[in-house]
Amino acid sequence: MDMNPLGYLRFRAPFLLGVLLLVPLWGSAAPLKDKDSVVLADFDNRTGEPVFDGALKEALMLELEQSPFLNLLPDRKLSEALRAMDRKADAPLPMDLARELCRKAGGKAALEGAISKSSGHYLLELTAVDCGSSAVLAQEKGDAAGEAGVLPVLSQASSRLRVALGEPAPSVREFEVPVATTTRSLEALKTYRLGVVTRNEKGDTASIPLLKHAIELDPDFPLPYGALAAIYGN
């Protein structure tokens, strides 16, 4: 059948439109693949409020460790890597150093959180960058109306970040227990974080007073109980 070019285009237009719509989907790729290694940098506290120091990094770590998709490098391995670089094992871990450690460990991404304060609101930002190129892979933001809302907003932003990095949404829904359901006490979370770091650096016995104090701050916080049970079991 003879058909002029304009008639051909009219005939083929629905098919061509479908191809054009599908091409971006076929060409898109998740920033991370299953079990890619990720290094978590320190949480940048720009509020000047000490209660957030350490607490938010621990909260973000607890959120991300639930993921069967992400391979978050643990504190112990990071401490060993820092010592290999002639740095103190408990040295601060800003984003530039996290990226360097990530490259040395053969990782894919470094993650950083930041919190600032404006007009009584706490603004949170989570950023994942490629360890090699420093290109931004994903970024999520949240706004908490007060201190009590910081942990719930962090949980929500963390869940969105997991999806943005390539974890299937059903996986996030299945493996998603917000930190705020385990404790709403930033002081307890901060103290627990100190206990974990102390245990890694100085051993079980040195961490016991900190873990006990975390329980005193929040008797319903299950994580320090679990850590103490493991210590006493040892």
Side-chain angles (χ1 to χ4, degrees), residues 6-7 15 19 28 46 62 66 70 72 85 111 116 119 125 128 132 147 153 170 175 183 212 223 227 233:
L6 183 58
F15 171 77
V19 171
S28 64
R46 303 168 187 167
L62 292 171
Q66 299 178 61
L70 299 176
L72 202 63
M85 296 169 62
L111 292 177
S116 56
S119 302
E125 185 174 302
E147 183 180 301
V153 168
F175 301 99
T183 182
K212 285 184 174 180
L223 294 180

XYZ file of all heavy atoms in Angstrom, residues 6-7 15 19 28 46 62 66 70 72 85 111 116 119 125 128 132 147 153 170 175 183 212 223 227 233:
193
model
N 3.438 12.019 5.320
C 2.562 12.564 6.353
C 1.541 11.527 6.797
O 1.282 11.354 7.995
C 1.843 13.809 5.817
C 0.942 14.550 6.822
C 1.759 14.988 8.029
C 0.272 15.763 6.150
N 0.998 10.799 5.809
C 0.061 9.743 6.161
C 0.714 8.656 6.973
O 0.120 8.091 7.901
N 2.142 4.414 17.923
C 3.256 3.514 18.237
C 4.512 4.291 18.597
O 5.196 4.007 19.580
C 3.527 2.598 17.048
C 4.781 1.780 17.196
C 4.794 0.666 18.028
C 5.943 2.134 16.548
C 5.951 -0.084 18.182
C 7.096 1.398 16.707
C 7.094 0.277 17.517
N 6.810 4.458 22.088
C 8.247 4.209 22.172
C 8.945 5.353 22.877
O 9.792 5.169 23.753
C 8.830 4.005 20.757
C 10.345 3.977 20.820
C 8.303 2.710 20.156
N 16.660 4.579 32.268
C 16.946 4.995 33.639
C 17.543 3.840 34.420
O 17.297 2.685 34.140
C 15.662 5.473 34.320
O 14.745 4.415 34.424
N 23.898 22.027 62.562
C 24.060 23.467 62.361
C 23.173 24.281 63.293
O 23.056 25.493 63.146
C 23.741 23.826 60.907
C 24.596 23.074 59.892
C 24.050 23.226 58.471
N 24.776 22.376 57.533
C 24.367 22.119 56.286
N 23.222 22.642 55.844
N 25.079 21.333 55.496
N 20.311 3.562 62.344
C 19.300 2.561 62.686
C 18.236 2.443 61.595
O 17.748 1.349 61.303
C 18.647 2.918 64.024
C 19.551 2.817 65.258
C 18.850 3.399 66.476
C 19.956 1.373 65.520
N 18.090 -1.237 58.629
C 16.945 -2.122 58.425
C 16.863 -2.609 56.982
O 16.226 -3.620 56.690
C 15.648 -1.387 58.770
C 15.546 -0.926 60.205
C 14.262 -0.174 60.450
O 13.171 -0.704 60.283
N 14.363 1.088 60.830
N 20.746 -2.002 51.207
C 21.965 -1.230 51.441
C 22.938 -1.997 52.326
O 22.536 -2.677 53.264
C 21.634 0.106 52.106
C 20.730 1.064 51.328
C 20.421 2.283 52.175
C 21.376 1.479 50.018
N 25.522 -0.984 54.728
C 26.109 0.117 55.477
C 27.340 -0.365 56.227
O 27.258 -1.290 57.041
C 25.068 0.661 56.455
C 25.253 2.077 56.969
C 25.166 3.080 55.830
C 24.196 2.386 58.019
N 44.738 4.791 58.176
C 45.086 6.082 57.574
C 45.800 6.988 58.584
O 45.953 8.191 58.355
C 43.827 6.768 57.072
C 43.113 6.013 55.956
S 41.464 6.693 55.601
C 41.888 8.353 55.070
N 26.913 8.953 52.552
C 25.675 9.622 52.967
C 25.974 10.630 54.072
O 26.765 10.364 54.972
C 24.663 8.614 53.506
C 24.053 7.615 52.537
C 23.136 6.664 53.290
C 23.263 8.334 51.470
N 19.386 22.076 60.457
C 19.502 23.497 60.753
C 18.174 23.971 61.354
O 17.191 23.221 61.385
C 19.828 24.291 59.481
O 18.868 24.047 58.470
N 13.204 29.880 62.307
C 11.870 30.282 62.783
C 11.191 29.190 63.604
O 9.991 28.929 63.453
C 10.979 30.661 61.591
O 11.558 31.705 60.836
N 18.137 17.520 56.057
C 18.529 17.241 54.677
C 19.427 16.014 54.647
O 20.393 15.923 55.410
C 19.277 18.442 54.097
C 19.635 18.316 52.633
C 20.255 19.596 52.089
O 19.593 20.655 52.161
O 21.411 19.536 51.617
N 23.086 11.790 49.405
C 23.950 10.671 49.026
C 24.753 11.076 47.796
O 24.186 11.566 46.822
C 23.116 9.424 48.718
N 33.252 8.251 44.023
C 34.292 8.581 43.066
C 34.157 9.964 42.475
O 35.091 10.768 42.497
N 11.273 20.114 68.243
C 12.246 19.058 68.539
C 11.598 17.677 68.549
O 12.185 16.705 68.078
C 12.912 19.338 69.884
C 14.004 18.347 70.255
C 14.637 18.652 71.608
O 15.187 19.771 71.759
O 14.576 17.776 72.500
N 10.307 12.917 61.332
C 10.613 13.497 60.012
C 11.861 12.857 59.429
O 11.935 12.589 58.221
C 10.774 15.028 60.126
C 11.371 15.612 58.846
C 9.430 15.677 60.411
N 8.255 -1.807 47.946
C 7.723 -2.850 48.842
C 8.734 -3.285 49.901
O 8.354 -3.608 51.028
C 7.399 -4.001 47.878
C 7.162 -3.341 46.568
C 8.129 -2.200 46.534
N 10.521 -3.473 55.576
C 11.616 -3.318 56.539
C 11.716 -1.847 56.945
O 12.660 -1.147 56.604
C 12.936 -3.807 55.930
C 12.904 -5.247 55.515
C 12.682 -5.596 54.188
C 13.076 -6.254 56.445
C 12.650 -6.931 53.801
C 13.046 -7.587 56.068
C 12.822 -7.925 54.738
N 12.262 4.986 70.626
C 12.519 6.011 71.637
C 12.230 7.378 71.037
O 12.461 7.611 69.857
C 13.966 5.979 72.155
O 14.120 6.979 73.185
C 14.966 6.278 71.059
N 23.631 1.794 80.563
C 22.710 1.863 81.695
C 22.079 3.248 81.810
O 20.895 3.387 82.129
C 23.447 1.509 82.995
C 23.743 0.025 83.150
C 24.371 -0.255 84.504
C 24.546 -1.749 84.746
N 25.157 -2.020 86.072
N 17.085 -0.880 72.659
C 18.423 -1.148 72.135
C 19.508 -1.263 73.216
O 20.338 -2.169 73.162
C 18.800 -0.091 71.099
C 17.946 -0.114 69.827
C 18.401 0.975 68.864
C 18.018 -1.469 69.151
N 22.021 -4.482 73.958
C 23.481 -4.386 74.013
C 24.009 -4.924 75.344
O 25.018 -5.653 75.381
C 23.920 -2.944 73.808
N 26.210 -11.646 78.296
C 26.351 -12.979 77.723
C 27.806 -13.303 77.412
O 28.248 -14.442 77.587
